[in-house]
Amino acid sequence: AITAGGCLCLPRNKMFRTVVRRASTIASRSLPGNAGQLEVITAVPDSLSTSTAAPIVFVHGGFHAAWCWEKFQPWFADRGLKSHALSVRSHGQSEPTKRSLWWPLRSLADDMHTLVQDLGGRKPILVGHSAGGGLIQKYMEVHPGAAVGGVIFCGFPPSGGDAPFMNWMRLPGAMWRAIVGGFTLTPGLMLATPELWHS
C-alpha cells in the first residue's frame, strides 16, 4: 500500500485504486439575507485543524444551486478545509422571491456578502462556475479586499456578455428553438466561434 495525500492507494492490476476516507460533516442551514433566507451547505472536517487556511465559498452558475458542489465539498473537507456552498436568492432551497429570475449582479453580490460576513472575519477563497464566476468578479469589484481571491471555472463576464446571446438569437431559427425548447439549448452553440463572441 502507498500513502499519497492522506489517501490509501492499493495496487490493482497495475493500476492504483484510491480509497478516500470521508472525514467530514455536511449540513444545510438557512442564513437571513436581504431578500429572505439563503441556503448554505457547509462541509466541516471532523478533525478541524488549527489551520489558518481560508475557508472556501462555492458559488453556483445560472439555473443551479448549492447542490452542484456536493461532490467537491467532501473532497476539500477530507483535506482539512472548511467550505460553504451558497444558493443565491430564488435558487435551490433559498427563499423564493417575487422576482424569480434576472436579478442584478449587485443584488446577488449582496447575498454573497451576507455569507462572507457570517464567516467570523475570515476572508474566503471564492470559487465559481459560469454565471457564478461572473458573480465572483462583481463581488470582488463591489467589495474589494473582502476575499483572499477567486477561482473561476468557465466564467461568464459580469458585464458585456449579452452580445454573444443576442448574436445567437439572430441565427436562423434560434429564437423559435429557444421559445419551444424553453431556453434549454446547449450554451456552447452561442459561443461556437470567436466571430459570434466579438460581433
Side-chain angles (χ1 to χ4, degrees):
I2 301 169
T3 301
C7 297
L8 179 65
C9 298
L10 304 171
R12 181 178 174 179
N13 299 334
K14 297 184 182 181
M15 296 181 70
F16 290 99
R17 185 177 129 245
T18 303
V19 179
V20 178
R21 171 182 54 84
R22 292 286 177 225
S24 58
T25 302
I26 299 176
S28 180
R29 64 186 173 106
S30 288
L31 181 65
N34 293 339
Q37 296 293 315
L38 299 171
E39 175 190 31
V40 178
I41 299 174
T42 300
V44 181
D46 283 341
S47 57
L48 189 60
S49 65
T50 57
S51 169
T52 59
I56 301 168
V57 170
F58 290 105
V59 184
H60 63 84
F63 308 103
H64 279 78
W67 57 261
C68 76
W69 299 104
E70 67 186 8
K71 301 283 186 189
F72 298 89
Q73 286 187 278
W75 189 90
F76 284 99
D78 287 346
R79 283 146 185 84
L81 299 169
K82 187 174 184 178
S83 67
H84 310 273
L86 171 69
S87 289
V88 296
R89 58 186 71 183
S90 294
H91 288 73
Q93 297 301 310
S94 289
E95 191 172 332
T97 58
K98 290 180 182 178
R99 181 180 180 177
S100 61
L101 292 174
W102 314 120
W103 281 94
L105 277 179
R106 176 62 193 250
S107 297
L108 301 178
D110 290 342
D111 292 350
M112 282 183 63
H113 198 58
T114 298
L115 174 56
V116 170
Q117 288 178 316
D118 191 58
L119 299 178
R122 300 200 61 204
K123 292 182 179 183
I125 297 170
L126 306 174
V127 179
H129 174 259
S130 188
L135 181 53
I136 285 174
Q137 293 172 68
K138 185 64 170 182
Y139 178 81
M140 294 176 83
E141 173 191 322
V142 174
H143 301 282
V148 172
V151 179
I152 300 168
F153 296 100
C154 304
F156 196 80
S159 63
D162 54 340
F165 289 98
M166 295 312 293
N167 288 334
W168 174 71
M169 294 304 279
R170 286 194 290 257
L171 293 174
M175 178 64 86
W176 175 251
R177 286 191 308 266
I179 292 169
V180 171
F183 291 91
T184 58
L185 298 173
T186 306
L189 295 175
M190 295 179 263
L191 310 174
T193 68
E195 292 77 22
L196 286 176
W197 179 262
H198 293 294
S199 61

